[in-house]
Amino acid sequence: MHEEIITISPITIIGISTVTNNQQEATQDGLIVPLSQQFNEKQLAQSLSDCLVDDRIITLYTQYHQGESGDYTYVIGHQVKDPEDMPKGCEIYDIPGGRYLRFPTERGPLGDVLPAAWQQIWRKTQEGSLEGVRAYGVDFEFHNYDSELVHDAQVDIYLSIQD
């Protein structure tokens, strides 16, 4: 995996969210998997088809309390051009434009490549060997796979970094 610092324009997404933390997600009581299942059941992409930028899934990690060791808000949704006509039960989230560290995963089963990438990010954060210093603002993931191809997934993780 090759990380690089890039500059992005603001992104607006519509999605659903929960508050969780890494300790909870390491147990059977994690909230991300059930939220993802709920997201898939809602078939949000179909109800937003006229305003989607594309059909890739975006997940956000935001409203961090105590960096990676505390609670954060996790959001799963889609990038939209215009957040009008939002489906019931969804919320609008903005990813601020600015500098981010892009950290791509390897290709493979989503349940393997994504946790492995985050473990590498946490290790590099603790070692101080990331290309930038994490800001713990809005971190996000672009999921680059078709929903039927989660066994051949590749995800681009974007970490907010300090200027």
Side-chain angles (χ1 to χ4, degrees), residues 2-155:
H2 174 67
E3 55 194 84
E4 64 178 331
I5 294 174
I6 64 166
T7 301
I8 67 159
S9 298
I11 297 171
T12 300
I13 75 161
I14 291 179
I16 57 177
S17 67
T18 191
V19 176
T20 190
N21 59 60
N22 291 335
Q23 293 76 20
Q24 183 171 3
E25 292 307 315
T27 71
Q28 293 294 103
D29 297 326
L31 300 174
I32 290 176
V33 170
L35 188 71
S36 298
Q37 291 167 342
Q38 178 186 350
F39 174 80
N40 289 332
E41 289 167 7
K42 277 183 167 278
Q43 298 181 341
L44 193 58
Q46 290 176 349
S47 59
L48 293 171
S49 61
D50 291 340
C51 64
L52 288 182
V53 171
D54 60 37
D55 61 356
R56 289 183 296 173
I57 294 171
I58 299 179
T59 59
L60 306 182
Y61 302 80
T62 189
Q63 300 170 353
Y64 284 97
H65 300 277
Q66 301 174 338
E68 66 191 39
S69 62
D71 287 351
Y72 54 86
T73 299
Y74 176 85
V75 181
I76 183 169
H78 291 288
Q79 183 178 2
V80 294
K81 298 175 230 169
D82 183 3
E84 299 288 324
D85 301 324
M86 183 171 51
K88 185 177 179 183
C90 292
E91 299 173 63
I92 298 171
Y93 294 89
D94 291 310
I95 300 171
R99 291 172 17 123
Y100 288 81
L101 180 64
R102 180 180 167 269
F103 199 97
T105 70
E106 301 291 335
R107 287 200 83 78
L110 182 63
D112 294 341
V113 298
L114 195 54
W118 276 106
Q119 290 195 357
Q120 189 172 13
I121 289 167
W122 297 328
R123 180 182 52 77
K124 287 182 149 205
T125 299
Q126 291 172 352
E127 293 172 351
S129 62
L130 278 176
E131 294 222 9
V133 176
R134 289 189 67 189
Y136 296 99
V138 177
D139 299 332
F140 64 99
E141 303 166 347
F142 270 118
H143 289 237
N144 300 312
Y145 58 88
D146 187 297
S147 61
E148 289 86 39
L149 297 176
V150 294
H151 63 278
D152 186 33
Q154 190 278 320
V155 178

